[in-house]
Every structure is written in structure tokens, then in C-alpha cells.
Amino acid sequence: MGEIISIVYQPEATDVTHGEFYRVPVDEASLLAGHGIEGDRKAGRNPKRHLNIMMRETLDDLAMCGYKTGAGAMGEQLQIRGVDIESLPSGTLLKLGDSAIIRLNKFRAGCVWLEQIQGRDCADLENRIGLMATVMESGIIRVGDPVEIIAIPELIDA
């Protein structure tokens, strides 16, 4: 079982020209099924991109390579530890906290914005900047809440 390490979101009325991923850290957030984090600027725009999730273990490795890895610095909304989401197949379901359920979709792709914020070429970050996820069931999540794998696609079909 894993744990939520940080939660950040971008308020809806945010000017995004700061030269950084503007994120507000919170101790708890409401995940809305079919939408994402309540009040987040990008929530609800793409059904496969409700959340950006990164493993704290990967962020620690990236920090040793000189990347900025504080909460939200890589553009992620959730940092978790103790669950290797990078090795899980697309479609895996995770339970966050008491009731929220998310589906892992695909690895997040880097962009020019990430390179600008990090101040370096990010070509070596492929499959290392987290995964996109869809919120399947709503719920309140908090820093310190458990993260649990509840279904892995190939095990369901076996």
C-alpha cells in the first residue's frame, strides 16, 4: 500500500505566464468523477487527463539529477509513494483515501513548457514524469491517505 505525499491544483482564474507550473498546495481535495480536482483550471477538459500523478521515488531520482521536484514543480497534481505506478498497465484502478477511485491511463509526455520551467532539455524524461489518470469515483483525498491497487487489467481478464 502507498501514500499520498502531496496534492496541488491550479485555480481556475490563474494567469499561467509565470515561468513555472503555478500550483497551490492543499492538504485535501475533492476528486470529481469524470472531471478531476474540484476547482482545477484544467479539470474536465480531457477524459483521459483528469490527473497528473508522479511517484515520489522517481522525483527523488530526478532531484539527484538536478531537476526541480517540489510539489507541482514537474506539473504533477499528486505525488504518491509506495506504489510503482510506472510498472502498472494502463487501466489499473487505484483507490485513493476512503472512496476515490482513479484509472491509470498513459505516461505523461513532456512539453516545451516543462523544459522552460526546468531550464533544460527534458528529452531524457520519457516515461519518468508520471501518468495521466481518470477519476472514476468521486471522493475526498488528503495528504497521508493510503493509495491501494484495487484492480489490474490482465489479472481481471485471467
Side-chain angles (χ1 to χ4, degrees), residues 32-37 40-47 49-51:
L32 302 176
H35 189 73
I37 296 176
D40 187 74
R41 183 176 182 273
K42 289 186 172 183
R45 291 185 186 179
N46 183 325
R49 298 177 62 98
H50 294 164
L51 295 173

Side-chain angles (χ1 to χ4, degrees), residues 111-128:
C111 63
V112 173
W113 188 243
L114 177 64
E115 290 184 347
Q116 178 183 349
I117 290 162
Q118 291 293 330
R120 61 194 294 176
D121 178 20
C122 295
D124 62 336
L125 293 179
E126 185 174 352
N127 295 342
R128 298 180 70 203

Side-chain angles (χ1 to χ4, degrees), residues 29-97:
S30 179
L31 295 185
L32 302 176
H35 189 73
I37 296 176
E38 183 175 27
D40 187 74
R41 183 176 182 273
K42 289 186 172 183
R45 291 185 186 179
N46 183 325
K48 293 187 177 186
R49 298 177 62 98
H50 294 164
L51 295 173
N52 298 336
I53 305 170
M54 286 191 75
M55 294 170 31
R56 186 64 239 180
E57 294 87 345
T58 298
L59 287 160
D60 290 344
D61 290 344
L62 293 174
M64 291 190 315
C65 297
Y67 287 95
K68 299 171 194 171
T69 62
M74 296 292 285
E76 83 288 351
Q77 294 161 303
L78 300 181
Q79 289 183 12
I80 65 168
R81 76 169 159 217
V83 175
D84 185 1
I85 60 172
E86 294 172 0
S87 69
L88 295 171
S90 179
T92 296
L93 298 179
L94 300 178
K95 182 178 178 184
L96 307 178

